[in-house]
Amino acid sequence: MAGDFEKIKQEVKKIVLEITELPENKLSEDAKFVEDLGVDSMMALEIVASIEKKYKVVIPEEEIPTIRCLNDIYRVLEAKLS
């Protein structure tokens, strides 16, 4: 599972990079999407929707505000997939 989740982390990072159009060196696992990277609410929703579609999970609306960085996405996704 650990190796599989490393692959998922790379795929998630790629999704975030594509939507935000940020250079890869700007996107660290703990960089805050809004404060550090300037991600707006539309981008955030697009990221969540893309992840839900790719991994066939549902992230409840009330959980979305807790997702502030890549590590938060990994935490939520790992819980949904396990």
Side-chain angles (χ1 to χ4, degrees):
M1 173 74 186
D4 292 342
F5 201 71
E6 282 305 312
K7 181 177 180 240
I8 289 170
K9 286 167 78 171
Q10 290 304 312
E11 293 169 350
V12 167
K13 187 172 185 177
K14 187 175 176 214
I15 289 169
V16 173
L17 287 170
E18 285 175 11
I19 291 169
T20 61
E21 298 180 356
L22 288 165
E24 190 167 354
N25 64 342
K26 284 262 189 218
L27 186 60
S28 68
E29 293 190 340
D30 56 357
K32 304 252 182 293
F33 290 135
V34 176
E35 298 90 332
D36 299 337
L37 304 173
V39 172
D40 64 27
S41 57
M42 290 305 294
M43 281 185 207
L45 289 173
E46 193 176 343
I47 290 167
V48 169
S50 295
I51 290 168
E52 287 179 325
K53 184 177 177 184
K54 180 164 183 69
Y55 297 104
K56 296 175 180 45
V57 296
V58 174
I59 299 171
E61 217 171 293
E62 61 273 7
E63 210 168 333
I64 294 172
T66 70
I67 300 173
R68 294 185 291 276
C69 63
L70 270 179
N71 279 329
D72 292 339
I73 294 176
Y74 300 155
R75 174 184 48 78
V76 169
L77 198 51
E78 192 167 28
K80 300 280 179 213
L81 295 175
S82 59

